[in-house]
Amino acid sequence: MMQHTMFVQFTEPIPEADLNQYLADLERAAKGTGVLQTFAAQRHIPVPGEERIPAFIATAVVQLGAADLEALGALFAAPEVGEVFSTWRARYPFKAAWANHEALA
């Protein structure tokens, strides 16, 4: 199984309810592709003082699982997934970093 681990950093504060809706919209769109096998998402838990570290600090982490690299590619080529990103980026600008990898042991 291939995993896509994505770190999402909203560049402005996002209300909890809106973050939850973003994650729900992403899950719904990804499931709609028919290739998603697993989905998990969590909000970042801050550590005191981390804001002084010059690093990319995510607002949330999302992990999507698909059978193989081809299925993972299909997931992110799906128009409905791209629409979620576009819609939410227009409401709350965000940056993302990710890694595609096999399951971590």
Side-chain angles (χ1 to χ4, degrees), residues 27-105:
E27 182 176 16
R28 177 190 40 75
K31 283 182 177 177
T33 66
V35 299
L36 183 72
Q37 292 187 342
T38 62
F39 181 93
Q42 291 290 323
R43 178 180 268 284
H44 168 69
I45 301 170
V47 173
E50 72 179 20
E51 67 281 353
R52 294 187 306 268
I53 299 169
F56 182 98
I57 299 174
T59 306
V61 61
V62 179
Q63 192 167 71
L64 301 102
D68 53 29
L69 198 54
E70 184 178 333
L72 194 59
L75 179 69
F76 284 96
E80 58 266 41
V81 173
E83 185 178 320
V84 169
F85 292 139
S86 295
T87 298
W88 279 94
R89 189 170 276 123
R91 291 181 68 191
Y92 295 99
F94 66 87
K95 299 175 186 176
W98 64 83
N100 299 320
H101 55 92
E102 294 182 356
L104 300 174

Side-chain angles (χ1 to χ4, degrees), residues 1-14:
M1 177 184 295
M2 290 298 298
Q3 298 291 322
H4 174 85
T5 301
M6 180 171 62
F7 297 91
V8 181
Q9 179 191 64
F10 286 90
T11 56
E12 300 171 14
I14 181 171

Side-chain angles (χ1 to χ4, degrees), residues 18-30 39 41 84 88:
D18 286 349
L19 178 59
N20 291 340
Q21 188 61 57
Y22 163 77
L23 296 171
D25 289 352
L26 181 55
E27 182 176 16
R28 177 190 40 75
F39 181 93
V84 169
W88 279 94

